[in-house]
Amino acid sequence: MTDHAQIKASVTTDNAQIIDRALGRIVAGYVFPQRAEEVDRAIRARLAAGAYDALGGAALCEAVTAHLQEVCPDRHLRLLWQDEPQSTEPEDDDTGRAAFLALLREQNQGIRRVEQLDGNIGFLDIRWIADAGEGARAIGAAMELVAHTRALILDLRECRGGSPAGAAMWCSYFFPDDQVHLNDFYRRATDSTRQFWTLPQLPAPRYLGRPVYVLTSATTFSGGEDVAYTLRALGRAELVGETTRGGAHPTDRHPVTAHITVTVPTSRTINAVTGSNWEGVGVRPDRAEAADKALETAHQEAIRSLS
């Protein structure tokens, strides 16, 4: 066997092992077992046909991810490449949560900017949805600063995800009490459903009786979509901007190699009003607008509505 043939055979074997491990995690954990079996058959067929023989690294991850989502259009179902090596030991819940909380501390609990716009319109730029525990004080501080504005704009155009409980906390500020059912999360591993309701106590005044606008873009994802979808479904906010990315399923991460991780949606969101969610279709705005024009449009609309 020539050196080139030996290298090709080695890559093919390595890729088969990577894909086999990733598919094992998907079949064992994906929230829809039947769809997981369909994904498994489709990817193994491509593997057998040599679709991945010439690929490696990030290119392999991109190709497999595209094929996973072709069979099952779930934006959280992915094979991810990291340049920096990672531990291949299974990550327990505490470790994953600690890493997430550390990220949020570095990112000011996801709150990038708080501002008072012309016309006494409040503006909050939110990049991550913080944990409802550690993030409560920061969320409360932001809401305290806009408590006396005439209308509020929540900018989720660069919000890439976060905590479901944190999303429920953000939403709680816009309702009068703890009697509003927001959504449910069904988890396959335990065959259980967790309900999320508005919270009875908050560290800052609730924002009631005034207009709320939510800005969205094609970047808005996961936890950011949760806030946008929930507030619109309950008739509490007007959405301005672009249709979001469409990731509604809470996800676990599993190392496959030192550089590759498979992300597996293990739960699904069920909105209390619609009985559905935004997976694969995104959250559609009430008023379609280019992302870079959405703030101006919402600000003008807020001033007009209050005149």
Side-chain angles (χ1 to χ4, degrees):
M1 183 181 288
T2 65
D3 289 344
H4 176 75
Q6 288 175 331
I7 292 171
K8 182 177 179 181
S10 176
V11 169
T12 300
T13 300
D14 289 344
N15 286 353
Q17 292 174 344
I18 290 167
I19 291 170
D20 183 67
R21 291 180 195 138
L23 290 174
R25 288 294 190 178
I26 293 170
V27 170
Y30 186 56
V31 64
F32 297 111
Q34 183 175 346
R35 299 304 300 274
E37 295 290 347
E38 293 170 3
V39 164
D40 185 73
R41 288 193 296 270
I43 299 301
R44 291 190 188 281
R46 287 182 180 272
L47 177 66
Y52 309 117
D53 288 356
L55 302 176
L60 173 66
C61 292
E62 290 171 7
V64 174
T65 296
H67 295 153
L68 288 171
Q69 296 183 2
E70 183 180 302
V71 180
C72 180
D74 187 323
R75 297 300 179 88
H76 278 116
L77 190 60
R78 297 173 290 176
L79 213 59
L80 302 175
W81 173 265
Q82 295 88 220
D83 289 332
E84 294 296 323
Q86 61 183 342
S87 170
T88 56
E89 292 298 315
E91 187 178 88
D92 60 33
D93 291 343
D94 289 341
T95 301
R97 177 175 170 77
F100 174 62
L101 294 178
L103 168 67
L104 288 170
R105 290 184 207 112
E106 293 175 359
Q107 299 292 323
N108 195 37
Q109 300 301 335
I111 302 166
R112 177 63 62 88
R113 184 158 55 110
V114 182
E115 190 174 343
Q116 182 186 36
L117 305 179
D118 291 345
N120 194 20
I121 309 300
F123 175 79
L124 296 177
D125 183 353
I126 304 165
R127 303 298 177 92
W128 292 96
I129 303 300
D131 174 73
E134 279 204 16
R137 290 178 61 191
I139 294 171
M143 292 303 299
E144 190 76 60
L145 289 173
V146 299
H148 301 293
T149 55
R150 300 167 68 214
L152 180 62
I153 298 172
L154 296 180
D155 188 352
L156 301 178
R157 289 175 294 178
E158 296 295 328
C159 187
R160 289 170 166 78
S163 162
M169 172 168 277
W170 274 110
C171 290
S172 294
Y173 277 96
F174 305 105
F175 300 96
D177 50 38
D178 60 352
Q179 300 302 304
V180 180
H181 187 188
L182 302 172
N183 52 41
D184 298 332
F185 275 34
Y186 170 78
R187 184 168 180 81
R188 174 187 168 182
T190 57
D191 191 27
S192 62
T193 298
R194 177 183 177 184
Q195 294 186 341
F196 285 93
W197 292 69
T198 47
L199 301 178
Q201 295 182 333
L202 296 167
R206 295 178 191 266
Y207 198 90
L208 306 175
R210 288 160 285 175
V212 177
Y213 300 87
V214 175
L215 309 185
T216 60
S217 77
T219 299
T220 310
F221 193 55
S222 194
E225 293 177 291
D226 185 348
V227 174
Y229 187 94
T230 302
L231 291 179
R232 189 185 69 172
L234 288 162
R236 189 58 187 91
E238 179 178 344
L239 273 55
V240 180
E242 300 170 344
T243 299
T244 62
R245 281 178 63 190
H249 295 157
T251 301
D252 288 348
R253 300 168 64 94
H254 304 284
V256 177
T257 71
H259 294 278
I260 296 176
T261 298
V262 61
T263 63
V264 182
T266 56
S267 307
R268 62 187 177 97
T269 306
I270 307 164
N271 181 266
V273 175
T274 68
S276 184
N277 61 44
W278 58 94
E279 182 60 51
V281 296
V283 184
R284 294 183 176 86
D286 299 296
R287 180 162 180 172
E289 186 65 86
D292 60 353
K293 302 292 185 183
L295 175 56
E296 179 183 357
T297 298
H299 188 197
Q300 291 174 350
E301 178 60 29
I303 291 175
R304 277 197 299 269
S305 72
L306 295 166
S307 62

